[in-house]
Amino acid sequence: LSPMISICRKEEYSMSDRHEYKSVFAPYITAFLKIKSAVISNTAVYGHTLKQWDDAMLLNKRSELYVTKEMVCDWEKSLYHTSERTSYTKYAQLIQFLKYLCRLGIECYVPRIPKRPSNTYIPYVYTHDDITRIFAAIDEAELSRPTPKSCLMCMPCLFRLLYATGMRISEALSIKNEDIDFSNNFIILRKTKNNKERIIPMNVSLKEVLMQYIKYRDLVPIDGISNPDRYLFVSGLGKPFSANTPYTFFKRILGKCGIHHRGKNEGPRVHDLRHTFAVHTLHRMSSEDVDLYAGLPILSVMLGHASVRETEWYLRLTREFYPEIIDKMSVTTGGIFPELDKNNMYHGKGN
């Protein structure tokens, strides 16, 4: 099923926050984030939002262990100059925290979540030539100056894993050593968006890349770096890292490849590797005469979608690139899948 192109690479690697909360809500924020970390791999975004809450409470000398509408307004002032989508996300995160306080018996005013802003982002689908050039640029990347915190040794393997499997960056960074089964050629994803574990198959090429990465990673003089409960992708200090690190690195790589980055929230993005995986997989299935109606549910499971309808959206996305896929699909499905409104075709991070 995976569209993995040859991902062999040279055998040399070169060696890529915690907030402090001080308000009366500090211990509750810490406890909330600990609970969140059990179900999502990256709590940094929650940490940043609650740091803004913590700072607002200190700035306005709020020492009461309850939440009023005025206190929420104090926090709202810190959201000025942020986009509608960012504000919406921060509201959703704060509301979760306030509901957590309510369950603990702390009286709280819980604001109504704003209307979700429309998403006009059109995913970027990398061509096969783009992917080849991206991998070459990643393999040739070097550090401007040596630093033990560098995560550069992870990048060739990490980005090949993303393209070859379609997993989300948060899912890839949550993988631990014990989640990889080289004997049976699969990876278990335990921390996923829908909180449902899933198994990702490995083909020979991906298996070789993972084994090569682990071989060099284990040479790093860090005690227990290869222990089953340690993370697969770590810095030179043996510690896991957030998604911001590969995001920043990937943006530089796109520049080296001549792929224009249109700006923040405009892309191309790391997440577009997931869209590219889906489109390239459908194209490969089509070229090998696989019954797309039968293959679509398999792709849906591999992507971790809640329903085939989410995956069917990728068929619409491929129309511009591979129109013959739609023709083949229509032969087997007829009018089962309705046309989507082009102005509302992208469902955001749900994919």
Side-chain angles (χ1 to χ4, degrees):
L1 179 63
S2 172
M4 292 182 289
I5 63 175
S6 175
I7 53 180
C8 297
R9 62 176 303 271
K10 61 185 179 182
E11 292 217 5
E12 294 182 1
Y13 290 92
S14 31
M15 305 294 282
S16 168
D17 139 71
R18 295 181 179 272
H19 296 294
E20 184 179 358
Y21 306 101
K22 299 180 179 179
S23 74
V24 66
F25 295 94
Y28 299 94
I29 293 175
T30 302
F32 173 76
L33 293 176
K34 185 176 181 179
I35 294 172
K36 271 293 176 184
S37 67
V39 293
I40 62 174
S41 58
N42 181 16
T43 59
V45 288
Y46 284 88
H48 184 265
T49 296
L50 295 179
K51 175 60 177 172
Q52 290 178 309
W53 172 265
D54 193 72
D55 289 345
M57 297 304 102
L58 290 173
L59 180 64
N60 292 279
K61 297 181 171 57
R62 300 286 189 178
S63 59
E64 311 91 344
L65 192 54
Y66 57 82
V67 177
T68 64
K69 183 176 182 179
E70 290 71 27
M71 293 165 73
V72 173
C73 289
D74 291 341
W75 168 78
E76 283 178 340
K77 295 175 183 178
S78 67
L79 303 185
Y80 290 160
H81 307 301
T82 60
S83 67
E84 288 185 5
R85 181 159 295 278
T86 300
S87 294
Y88 171 86
T89 300
K90 288 183 176 296
Y91 262 101
Q93 292 164 355
L94 179 67
I95 288 172
Q96 289 181 51
F97 174 64
L98 296 180
K99 288 182 177 179
Y100 164 74
L101 294 180
C102 289
R103 288 195 294 271
L104 295 179
I106 299 173
E107 187 175 351
C108 292
Y109 165 79
V110 180
R112 179 176 297 179
I113 191 168
K115 181 180 178 181
R116 187 185 186 98
S118 60
N119 193 333
T120 58
Y121 179 81
I122 299 177
Y124 184 95
V125 177
Y126 300 100
T127 66
H128 288 88
D129 180 62
D130 287 340
I131 294 296
T132 301
R133 289 185 290 117
I134 286 171
F135 286 165
I138 292 174
D139 292 346
E140 295 170 0
E142 297 180 352
L143 291 174
S144 57
R145 57 186 177 81
T147 170
K149 293 183 179 180
S150 172
C151 301
L152 183 59
M153 69 173 178
C154 300
M155 298 307 165
C157 180
L158 174 60
F159 283 102
R160 283 170 168 83
L161 178 67
L162 295 177
Y163 169 65
T165 65
M167 66 177 67
R168 302 174 179 91
I169 182 65
S170 60
E171 294 171 340
L173 296 180
S174 71
I175 296 173
K176 295 185 177 181
N177 294 324
E178 62 187 355
D179 298 329
I180 302 179
D181 188 331
F182 286 119
S183 298
N184 296 298
N185 301 320
F186 65 76
I187 302 170
I188 299 177
L189 295 182
R190 304 184 190 278
K191 288 191 176 183
T192 65
K193 181 175 180 179
N194 297 320
N195 297 322
K196 293 182 179 179
E197 292 186 4
R198 69 181 191 273
I199 295 176
I200 303 294
M202 285 188 288
N203 68 10
V204 175
S205 186
L206 178 59
K207 181 177 180 179
E208 290 178 353
V209 168
L210 281 166
M211 292 179 72
Q212 185 185 96
Y213 161 69
I214 292 173
K215 171 185 173 182
Y216 285 97
R217 183 207 61 183
D218 290 354
L219 295 177
V220 177
I222 301 292
D223 289 340
I225 197 170
S226 61
N227 287 353
D229 61 344
R230 298 289 285 271
Y231 285 96
L232 172 66
F233 295 110
V234 294
S235 70
L237 295 177
K239 298 184 180 297
F241 48 91
S242 72
N244 289 331
T245 299
Y247 285 156
T248 303
F249 174 81
F250 192 64
K251 185 176 178 180
R252 293 200 306 268
I253 292 297
L254 292 179
K256 291 182 179 180
C257 294
I259 301 174
H260 177 63
H261 189 275
R262 300 188 296 266
K264 186 176 181 181
N265 299 324
E266 295 294 332
R269 314 165 304 171
V270 171
H271 195 70
D272 288 324
L273 289 170
R274 177 172 166 84
H275 301 314
T276 301
F277 160 79
V279 172
H280 286 189
T281 297
L282 288 170
H283 178 248
R284 181 168 178 173
M285 291 167 64
S286 175
S287 64
E288 295 179 354
D289 293 324
V290 174
D291 185 341
L292 295 181
Y293 186 49
L296 204 61
I298 299 174
L299 178 60
S300 180
V301 171
M302 190 163 181
L303 289 170
H305 285 165
S307 70
V308 177
R309 288 295 298 273
E310 292 184 46
T311 316
E312 188 266 343
W313 168 78
Y314 285 111
L315 287 171
R316 313 302 177 188
L317 182 62
T318 59
R319 177 172 287 158
E320 179 181 352
F321 302 94
Y322 307 110
E324 71 276 9
I325 292 180
I326 302 299
D327 295 336
K328 287 191 176 185
M329 189 66 180
S330 63
V331 171
T332 56
T333 63
I336 293 176
F337 295 120
E339 291 291 327
L340 296 182
D341 180 355
K342 289 184 178 180
N343 295 321
N344 194 34
M345 68 178 291
Y346 181 57
H347 303 291
K349 293 184 178 180
N351 289 307

